[in-house]
Amino acid sequence: MTTMVVLSVIDIALLIAGLAFYLFVVGSQLGRIATNLEECRDLVREIGDNAKPIIPGVDHINRTGGVVAGALPLLYGMAEGIVTGVTPRPEEPAEPVPARPASGRRRSRLHDGVGYSPR
């Protein structure tokens, strides 16, 4: 019976040691995260301070971009008309030409082998 009590006490001590180690690891990771967040906060403030003089120019750029974006469909249509007007088109033949094989007239190699040549 005393061995059961001793084993239970050892088991509880190991559980407490494991939890303490876990809390130590989590605490150190949270400390690193807090340091990184402080650095990020400082960088964001610096970016905001650097962007203050640019903001009025950005409004002007956005207005100009809106005007250009509104004109793009008209410009695109005009460009299509120009390309269509200057693209050369082959003239259609008066009578359709019959289809011919790309390799020309076919000849059998057997004719060459026996010395036959058609007229």
Side-chain angles (χ1 to χ4, degrees):
M1 178 130 180
T2 57
T3 57
M4 293 289 276
V5 172
V6 171
L7 288 176
S8 295
V9 169
I10 291 173
D11 202 18
I12 291 170
L14 287 174
L15 179 66
I16 291 172
L19 288 173
F21 177 74
Y22 172 76
L23 290 174
F24 173 76
V25 169
V26 169
S28 65
Q29 288 177 346
L30 287 174
R32 279 186 279 163
I33 290 171
T35 303
N36 289 340
L37 286 175
E38 287 176 5
E39 291 175 9
C40 288
R41 181 197 61 202
D42 295 339
L43 288 173
V44 167
R45 279 189 186 152
E46 186 178 335
I47 289 170
D49 292 340
N50 290 337
K52 283 181 184 174
I54 300 172
I55 291 173
V58 171
D59 292 336
H60 177 67
I61 290 169
N62 286 338
R63 280 194 308 273
T64 306
V67 170
V68 171
L72 282 178
L74 177 65
L75 293 172
Y76 181 72
M78 291 172 63
E80 273 188 343
I82 292 170
V83 168
T84 303
V86 297
T87 303
R89 295 176 189 255
E91 293 183 16
E92 296 290 328
E95 292 184 28
V97 179
R100 290 189 210 126
S103 61
R105 202 181 97 207
R106 294 187 62 186
R107 241 175 63 192
S108 172
R109 290 186 198 158
L110 292 175
H111 292 170
D112 292 336
V114 296
Y116 173 75
S117 59
R119 295 184 199 157

